[in-house]
């Protein structure tokens, strides 16, 4: 039984959310970045204007997909990337 628990906990690979393009509605993207990251408005704007930007780091796949969807809804381009496992070359 313990083996099954360890496998189910370790199966979720952390993901990063990367903003690749803000699109035409930069202020809308900044607001979404602020909501997702919890950063101040000023820091969210700085992050959103320096693409490619790492918005979220090490989140579960579901959260990463929801964040990418929220960014796509305001016209931004973003993607969820799996974090490489420690010890493996990139």
């Amino acid at each position: 039984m313990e083996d099954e628990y360890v496998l189910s906990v370790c199966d979720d690979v952390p993901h990063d959310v990367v903003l690749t393009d803000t699109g035409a509605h930069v202020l809308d993207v900044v607001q979404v970045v602020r909501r997702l990251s919890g950063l101040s408005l000023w820091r969210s704007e700085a992050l959103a204007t320096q693409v490619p930007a790492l918005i979220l780091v090490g989140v579960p796949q579901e959260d990463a997909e929801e964040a990418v969807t929220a960014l796509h809804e305001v016209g931004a381009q973003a993607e969820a990337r799996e974090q490489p496992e420690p010890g493996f070359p990139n």
Side-chain angles (χ1 to χ4, degrees):
M1 188 63 148
E2 291 176 25
D3 294 336
E4 291 177 26
Y5 176 74
V6 171
L7 288 176
S8 65
V9 169
C10 296
D11 284 344
D12 191 22
V13 177
H15 286 70
D16 297 337
V17 176
V18 180
L19 178 66
T20 56
D21 184 26
T22 56
H25 304 286
V26 177
L27 292 178
D28 293 337
V29 174
V30 169
Q31 289 177 350
V32 172
V33 169
R34 181 178 185 200
R35 182 174 49 84
L36 292 172
S37 66
L39 296 172
S40 69
L41 183 60
W42 183 79
R43 292 194 185 273
S44 297
E45 182 179 7
L47 185 62
T49 56
Q50 297 175 359
V51 292
L54 198 57
I55 304 298
L56 297 175
V57 178
V59 296
Q61 182 177 1
E62 281 184 18
D63 294 343
E65 290 172 356
E66 289 174 10
V68 168
T69 301
L71 289 163
H72 284 175
E73 286 175 355
V74 293
Q77 296 297 316
E79 57 187 40
R81 298 179 182 168
E82 282 187 14
Q83 282 188 341
E85 292 186 28
F88 286 143
N90 292 337

